[in-house]
Amino acid sequence: MLDPKFLRESPEVVRAAIAKKHLTVDLDAVLALDAAWRGQLQEVEVLRAQQKAANTAMAALPKGSPEFVAKVAEMKAVSAQAKEKDTALKETEERWRQSMLTLPNLPHATVPEGRTPEENVTFSTHGDVATVSPAAVPHWEIGGFDRLFDFARGAKVTGAGFPFYVGDAARLVRALLHFFLDENARAGYTEVAPPIFVNAASATATGQLPDKEGQMYETTPDHLYAVPTAEVPLTNFFRDEILAEESLPVLRCAYTPCFRREAGSYGKDVRGLNRLHQFDKVELLKWVHPATSYTELDKLRDDAERLLQKLGLPYRVLLMCGGDLGFAQSKKYDIEVWAAGQKRWLEVSSCSNFEAFQARRAQIRYRSRETGRPELVHTLNGSGLAVPRVLAALLENNLQPDGRVKIPPALVPFFGKEFLSFAPG
RNA sequence: GGAGAGGUGGCAGAGUGGUCGAAUGCGCGCGCUUGGAAAGCGCGUAUACCGCAAGGUAUCGGGGGUUCGAAUCCCCCCCUCUCCGCCA
């Protein structure tokens, strides 16, 4: 959510921001609702002030006295009027609040113009794409793949997009998670094991609700949501809290399985491990002082990049243009790993600065020494990293002529062997 | 899941219909005092919204209701604790 005061003072800045993100929002309707709400609020508050004054006066009067009785009669009318206007106010306020939720976050000045993914800017490229296993095949075509990554049985037991990982595959998933968590701990992120179901209030604070309920699995009868990312429980950890300024920045990471319905996203891009309904991911999260959020974003991106560097996987970093930025982000880098078999880039991390957008919804603040008042923190998050696509790249890029997959040296201590084998046994 | 007890400011804890945003204590901040500190004394110490301002309004777990007036009475929900049941 945007700062309502800022919207009032600088509606044209917001209008420009909406244009940069190539979104369509009826800003004038929001402004009109805001004006209406403030007018009604004034009226109600005047009536309430009358009621309070009368209450004080009546407290000093003898209960049954003629003055008292007269006052009761008088205030009955005021009370009725106040109730009526308050009902109207509440209605306006709710409509205003809903309309405020339709306004996107403002893109940062350094975000490039552009409407489509093609207009994202390649920020950097690492590793040599050309020299990686020229004979590589898409991972689902590797001999023995179906035995270690059992999609058929996953579909039987649960549904499409819920594979079983068997033997070395399961071991490699666990090794990657362990590696990611250890590296992140070394980088200063405190590990957290959060709940993987969240309530509606939490999903609203991070922006999944309203509008994206169709993307989440919802439980019956308790109406909890299976987390689409650890970002949701992690960000909400400090919801409605005021942090000490000295405690900032707070750095945390968490592994969770992630659940996404991915409604409507079927097609060529979703084969194998590319897109699943359940996948494992380690998420990095920062709560920072507003003055530092962009240097913290750079460091966050570096932290995610380092993981791919240590695994020896080629990747590139994209700086997202306005049109591809997303509703809640001010600035976002996507990190894409090269999958040599598919000959395409796979997104494995998305590092974003939300500035105060999430913090306002979630009411996460710090007590400012400067102003002496609570101020909103800035929140940032990024994957560090998503497992299946890293796995896909690893399988494809490191495939050996003998059909085995060479495990990167950094991962060997976690995996326990130098090669993953698809052969039975 | 059953039975019972509770949820008030940073914490503890009073308050059962009116002048209560809320006593008191602790904690914290500032000042006095002191060589310095402790003690003592004094003052201060929630959050949000509206308003140019003066000022006003809201909030006692959440929501609804009764009433001229609700922290206080009624209803629903959530959470915590104790006992029982079940259970990795």
Short mmCIF file of all heavy atoms in Angstrom, two decimals, chain A residues 268-303:
data_model
loop_
_atom_site.label_atom_id
_atom_site.label_comp_id
_atom_site.label_asym_id
_atom_site.label_seq_id
_atom_site.Cartn_x
_atom_site.Cartn_y
_atom_site.Cartn_z
N LYS A 268 4.97 -25.54 -23.05
CA LYS A 268 6.30 -26.08 -23.27
C LYS A 268 7.29 -25.71 -22.17
O LYS A 268 8.28 -26.38 -21.98
CB LYS A 268 6.84 -25.61 -24.62
CG LYS A 268 7.03 -24.11 -24.72
CD LYS A 268 7.54 -23.72 -26.10
CE LYS A 268 7.55 -22.22 -26.32
NZ LYS A 268 8.29 -21.44 -25.35
N ASP A 269 7.02 -24.60 -21.47
CA ASP A 269 7.98 -24.15 -20.47
C ASP A 269 7.89 -24.90 -19.16
O ASP A 269 8.66 -24.66 -18.24
CB ASP A 269 7.78 -22.66 -20.18
CG ASP A 269 8.13 -21.81 -21.39
OD1 ASP A 269 8.74 -22.36 -22.32
OD2 ASP A 269 7.79 -20.63 -21.39
N VAL A 270 6.95 -25.81 -19.05
CA VAL A 270 6.68 -26.38 -17.74
C VAL A 270 7.10 -27.83 -17.65
O VAL A 270 6.75 -28.53 -16.71
CB VAL A 270 5.18 -26.26 -17.39
CG1 VAL A 270 4.76 -24.81 -17.49
CG2 VAL A 270 4.32 -27.14 -18.27
N ARG A 271 7.88 -28.29 -18.60
CA ARG A 271 8.27 -29.70 -18.56
C ARG A 271 9.28 -29.96 -17.45
O ARG A 271 10.03 -29.08 -17.02
CB ARG A 271 8.88 -30.12 -19.90
CG ARG A 271 7.87 -30.05 -21.05
CD ARG A 271 8.32 -30.91 -22.20
NE ARG A 271 8.50 -32.31 -21.79
CZ ARG A 271 8.87 -33.26 -22.63
NH1 ARG A 271 9.14 -32.96 -23.88
NH2 ARG A 271 8.99 -34.50 -22.19
N GLY A 272 9.31 -31.23 -17.04
CA GLY A 272 10.32 -31.65 -16.07
C GLY A 272 10.27 -30.81 -14.80
O GLY A 272 9.21 -30.57 -14.23
N LEU A 273 11.44 -30.35 -14.40
CA LEU A 273 11.56 -29.63 -13.13
C LEU A 273 11.34 -28.13 -13.29
O LEU A 273 11.51 -27.37 -12.34
CB LEU A 273 12.96 -29.88 -12.55
CG LEU A 273 13.28 -31.33 -12.19
CD1 LEU A 273 14.78 -31.53 -12.01
CD2 LEU A 273 12.53 -31.73 -10.91
N ASN A 274 11.00 -27.68 -14.49
CA ASN A 274 10.92 -26.24 -14.73
C ASN A 274 9.84 -25.54 -13.92
O ASN A 274 10.02 -24.41 -13.47
CB ASN A 274 10.69 -25.96 -16.22
CG ASN A 274 11.94 -26.24 -17.03
OD1 ASN A 274 12.98 -26.62 -16.46
ND2 ASN A 274 11.87 -26.08 -18.33
N ARG A 275 8.72 -26.19 -13.79
CA ARG A 275 7.63 -25.55 -13.04
C ARG A 275 6.81 -26.62 -12.33
O ARG A 275 6.24 -27.48 -12.98
CB ARG A 275 6.73 -24.75 -14.00
CG ARG A 275 5.73 -23.85 -13.29
CD ARG A 275 4.79 -23.19 -14.26
NE ARG A 275 5.46 -22.28 -15.18
CZ ARG A 275 5.75 -21.01 -14.89
NH1 ARG A 275 5.41 -20.50 -13.72
NH2 ARG A 275 6.35 -20.24 -15.77
N LEU A 276 6.77 -26.54 -11.01
CA LEU A 276 6.11 -27.55 -10.19
C LEU A 276 5.07 -26.91 -9.27
O LEU A 276 5.13 -25.71 -9.00
CB LEU A 276 7.15 -28.28 -9.33
CG LEU A 276 8.31 -28.95 -10.09
CD1 LEU A 276 9.37 -29.42 -9.10
CD2 LEU A 276 7.78 -30.10 -10.93
N HIS A 277 4.16 -27.75 -8.81
CA HIS A 277 3.18 -27.26 -7.84
C HIS A 277 3.77 -27.23 -6.43
O HIS A 277 3.35 -26.46 -5.59
CB HIS A 277 1.91 -28.12 -7.87
CG HIS A 277 1.08 -27.90 -9.09
ND1 HIS A 277 0.67 -26.66 -9.51
CD2 HIS A 277 0.59 -28.77 -10.00
CE1 HIS A 277 -0.05 -26.76 -10.61
NE2 HIS A 277 -0.11 -28.04 -10.94
N GLN A 278 4.71 -28.13 -6.19
CA GLN A 278 5.43 -28.12 -4.92
C GLN A 278 6.91 -28.15 -5.21
O GLN A 278 7.38 -28.99 -5.99
CB GLN A 278 5.06 -29.33 -4.06
CG GLN A 278 5.86 -29.37 -2.74
CD GLN A 278 5.59 -30.61 -1.91
OE1 GLN A 278 4.51 -31.18 -1.96
NE2 GLN A 278 6.59 -31.03 -1.14
N PHE A 279 7.65 -27.22 -4.63
CA PHE A 279 9.10 -27.24 -4.82
C PHE A 279 9.78 -26.68 -3.57
O PHE A 279 9.14 -26.04 -2.73
CB PHE A 279 9.51 -26.44 -6.06
CG PHE A 279 9.17 -24.97 -5.99
CD1 PHE A 279 10.14 -24.05 -5.59
CD2 PHE A 279 7.92 -24.51 -6.32
CE1 PHE A 279 9.84 -22.69 -5.53
CE2 PHE A 279 7.61 -23.15 -6.27
CZ PHE A 279 8.57 -22.24 -5.86
N ASP A 280 11.06 -26.96 -3.46
CA ASP A 280 11.81 -26.53 -2.29
C ASP A 280 12.58 -25.25 -2.61
O ASP A 280 13.14 -25.10 -3.69
CB ASP A 280 12.79 -27.62 -1.86
CG ASP A 280 12.07 -28.87 -1.40
OD1 ASP A 280 11.29 -28.76 -0.44
OD2 ASP A 280 12.29 -29.93 -2.01
N LYS A 281 12.59 -24.35 -1.64
CA LYS A 281 13.27 -23.08 -1.86
C LYS A 281 13.78 -22.53 -0.53
O LYS A 281 13.14 -22.68 0.51
CB LYS A 281 12.31 -22.07 -2.50
CG LYS A 281 12.92 -20.70 -2.77
CD LYS A 281 12.08 -19.88 -3.76
CE LYS A 281 10.73 -19.50 -3.20
NZ LYS A 281 10.80 -18.58 -2.07
N VAL A 282 14.93 -21.90 -0.60
CA VAL A 282 15.44 -21.15 0.55
C VAL A 282 15.25 -19.68 0.21
O VAL A 282 15.62 -19.23 -0.87
CB VAL A 282 16.93 -21.45 0.82
CG1 VAL A 282 17.46 -20.52 1.91
CG2 VAL A 282 17.11 -22.90 1.22
N GLU A 283 14.64 -18.98 1.12
CA GLU A 283 14.34 -17.56 0.90
C GLU A 283 15.20 -16.69 1.81
O GLU A 283 15.43 -17.02 2.98
CB GLU A 283 12.85 -17.31 1.19
CG GLU A 283 12.37 -15.91 0.87
CD GLU A 283 12.22 -15.66 -0.64
OE1 GLU A 283 12.44 -16.60 -1.43
OE2 GLU A 283 11.89 -14.52 -1.00
N LEU A 284 15.68 -15.58 1.24
CA LEU A 284 16.45 -14.59 2.02
C LEU A 284 15.56 -13.39 2.28
O LEU A 284 14.85 -12.95 1.37
CB LEU A 284 17.68 -14.14 1.24
CG LEU A 284 18.62 -15.24 0.77
CD1 LEU A 284 19.66 -14.67 -0.18
CD2 LEU A 284 19.29 -15.90 1.97
N LEU A 285 15.59 -12.88 3.49
CA LEU A 285 14.74 -11.74 3.81
C LEU A 285 15.46 -10.71 4.66
O LEU A 285 16.24 -11.07 5.54
CB LEU A 285 13.49 -12.23 4.53
CG LEU A 285 12.26 -11.40 4.17
CD1 LEU A 285 11.12 -12.27 3.79
CD2 LEU A 285 11.91 -10.45 5.28
N LYS A 286 15.22 -9.45 4.35
CA LYS A 286 15.86 -8.38 5.11
C LYS A 286 14.83 -7.34 5.53
O LYS A 286 13.97 -6.96 4.75
CB LYS A 286 16.90 -7.67 4.24
CG LYS A 286 18.09 -8.48 3.83
CD LYS A 286 19.07 -7.59 3.08
CE LYS A 286 20.36 -8.36 2.75
NZ LYS A 286 21.37 -7.47 2.16
N TRP A 287 14.97 -6.90 6.77
CA TRP A 287 14.23 -5.73 7.24
C TRP A 287 15.29 -4.66 7.49
O TRP A 287 16.19 -4.87 8.32
CB TRP A 287 13.52 -6.01 8.56
CG TRP A 287 12.45 -7.06 8.52
CD1 TRP A 287 11.09 -6.85 8.49
CD2 TRP A 287 12.61 -8.49 8.58
NE1 TRP A 287 10.42 -8.05 8.49
CE2 TRP A 287 11.31 -9.06 8.55
CE3 TRP A 287 13.72 -9.34 8.61
CZ2 TRP A 287 11.10 -10.44 8.58
CZ3 TRP A 287 13.51 -10.71 8.64
CH2 TRP A 287 12.21 -11.25 8.63
N VAL A 288 15.20 -3.55 6.79
CA VAL A 288 16.31 -2.60 6.85
C VAL A 288 15.83 -1.17 7.07
O VAL A 288 14.66 -0.84 6.87
CB VAL A 288 17.15 -2.65 5.54
CG1 VAL A 288 17.51 -4.08 5.19
CG2 VAL A 288 16.41 -2.00 4.39
N HIS A 289 16.78 -0.33 7.48
CA HIS A 289 16.53 1.11 7.58
C HIS A 289 16.32 1.66 6.17
O HIS A 289 17.07 1.29 5.25
CB HIS A 289 17.74 1.77 8.25
CG HIS A 289 17.50 3.19 8.63
ND1 HIS A 289 17.47 4.21 7.71
CD2 HIS A 289 17.25 3.76 9.83
CE1 HIS A 289 17.22 5.36 8.34
NE2 HIS A 289 17.08 5.11 9.62
N PRO A 290 15.32 2.52 5.98
CA PRO A 290 15.00 3.02 4.63
C PRO A 290 16.21 3.63 3.91
O PRO A 290 16.33 3.49 2.68
CB PRO A 290 13.95 4.10 4.89
CG PRO A 290 13.31 3.71 6.17
CD PRO A 290 14.38 3.04 6.99
N ALA A 291 17.10 4.24 4.66
CA ALA A 291 18.24 4.91 4.02
C ALA A 291 19.20 3.92 3.36
O ALA A 291 19.96 4.29 2.48
CB ALA A 291 18.99 5.75 5.06
N THR A 292 19.15 2.65 3.77
CA THR A 292 20.13 1.68 3.30
C THR A 292 19.56 0.66 2.32
O THR A 292 20.27 -0.25 1.88
CB THR A 292 20.72 0.89 4.48
OG1 THR A 292 19.67 0.08 5.05
CG2 THR A 292 21.28 1.80 5.54
N SER A 293 18.29 0.78 1.95
CA SER A 293 17.65 -0.36 1.30
C SER A 293 18.24 -0.68 -0.07
O SER A 293 18.20 -1.83 -0.51
CB SER A 293 16.13 -0.19 1.24
OG SER A 293 15.74 0.88 0.42
N TYR A 294 18.76 0.32 -0.77
CA TYR A 294 19.29 0.00 -2.10
C TYR A 294 20.69 -0.60 -2.07
O TYR A 294 21.04 -1.43 -2.92
CB TYR A 294 19.17 1.22 -3.03
CG TYR A 294 17.74 1.32 -3.51
CD1 TYR A 294 16.82 2.12 -2.86
CD2 TYR A 294 17.30 0.52 -4.55
CE1 TYR A 294 15.49 2.15 -3.25
CE2 TYR A 294 15.98 0.53 -4.95
CZ TYR A 294 15.07 1.35 -4.30
OH TYR A 294 13.76 1.33 -4.68
N THR A 295 21.50 -0.21 -1.08
CA THR A 295 22.78 -0.92 -0.94
C THR A 295 22.52 -2.33 -0.43
O THR A 295 23.21 -3.27 -0.81
CB THR A 295 23.73 -0.18 0.03
OG1 THR A 295 23.07 0.01 1.27
CG2 THR A 295 24.13 1.17 -0.52
N GLU A 296 21.49 -2.47 0.40
CA GLU A 296 21.14 -3.81 0.89
C GLU A 296 20.62 -4.68 -0.25
O GLU A 296 20.82 -5.90 -0.25
CB GLU A 296 20.10 -3.72 2.01
CG GLU A 296 20.62 -3.13 3.31
CD GLU A 296 21.61 -4.05 4.03
OE1 GLU A 296 21.74 -5.22 3.64
OE2 GLU A 296 22.24 -3.59 5.00
N LEU A 297 19.95 -4.07 -1.21
CA LEU A 297 19.46 -4.84 -2.36
C LEU A 297 20.65 -5.38 -3.16
O LEU A 297 20.65 -6.53 -3.59
CB LEU A 297 18.57 -3.97 -3.25
CG LEU A 297 18.07 -4.64 -4.55
CD1 LEU A 297 17.19 -5.85 -4.22
CD2 LEU A 297 17.30 -3.65 -5.42
N ASP A 298 21.66 -4.54 -3.35
CA ASP A 298 22.85 -4.99 -4.08
C ASP A 298 23.52 -6.16 -3.36
O ASP A 298 23.94 -7.14 -3.97
CB ASP A 298 23.85 -3.83 -4.22
CG ASP A 298 23.35 -2.78 -5.22
OD1 ASP A 298 22.48 -3.11 -6.05
OD2 ASP A 298 23.83 -1.63 -5.15
N LYS A 299 23.58 -6.05 -2.03
CA LYS A 299 24.22 -7.13 -1.26
C LYS A 299 23.40 -8.41 -1.31
O LYS A 299 23.94 -9.51 -1.39
CB LYS A 299 24.44 -6.68 0.20
CG LYS A 299 25.52 -5.62 0.33
CD LYS A 299 26.10 -5.55 1.73
CE LYS A 299 25.28 -4.74 2.67
NZ LYS A 299 25.86 -4.50 3.97
N LEU A 300 22.09 -8.23 -1.28
CA LEU A 300 21.19 -9.39 -1.35
C LEU A 300 21.41 -10.13 -2.67
O LEU A 300 21.52 -11.36 -2.71
CB LEU A 300 19.74 -8.92 -1.24
CG LEU A 300 18.64 -9.97 -1.38
CD1 LEU A 300 18.67 -10.94 -0.21
CD2 LEU A 300 17.26 -9.31 -1.48
N ARG A 301 21.48 -9.38 -3.75
CA ARG A 301 21.70 -9.97 -5.07
C ARG A 301 23.06 -10.67 -5.10
O ARG A 301 23.18 -11.80 -5.59
CB ARG A 301 21.64 -8.87 -6.13
CG ARG A 301 21.69 -9.37 -7.57
CD ARG A 301 22.10 -8.24 -8.50
NE ARG A 301 23.41 -7.75 -8.10
CZ ARG A 301 23.73 -6.47 -7.96
NH1 ARG A 301 22.86 -5.52 -8.18
NH2 ARG A 301 24.95 -6.12 -7.57
N ASP A 302 24.07 -10.03 -4.54
CA ASP A 302 25.40 -10.65 -4.48
C ASP A 302 25.35 -11.97 -3.71
O ASP A 302 26.00 -12.95 -4.10
CB ASP A 302 26.41 -9.71 -3.79
CG ASP A 302 26.73 -8.49 -4.66
OD1 ASP A 302 26.44 -8.54 -5.87
OD2 ASP A 302 27.26 -7.51 -4.12
N ASP A 303 24.61 -11.98 -2.61
CA ASP A 303 24.52 -13.19 -1.79
C ASP A 303 23.90 -14.34 -2.58
O ASP A 303 24.33 -15.48 -2.48
CB ASP A 303 23.70 -12.92 -0.53
CG ASP A 303 24.44 -12.00 0.44
OD1 ASP A 303 25.69 -11.99 0.41
OD2 ASP A 303 23.77 -11.29 1.23
#
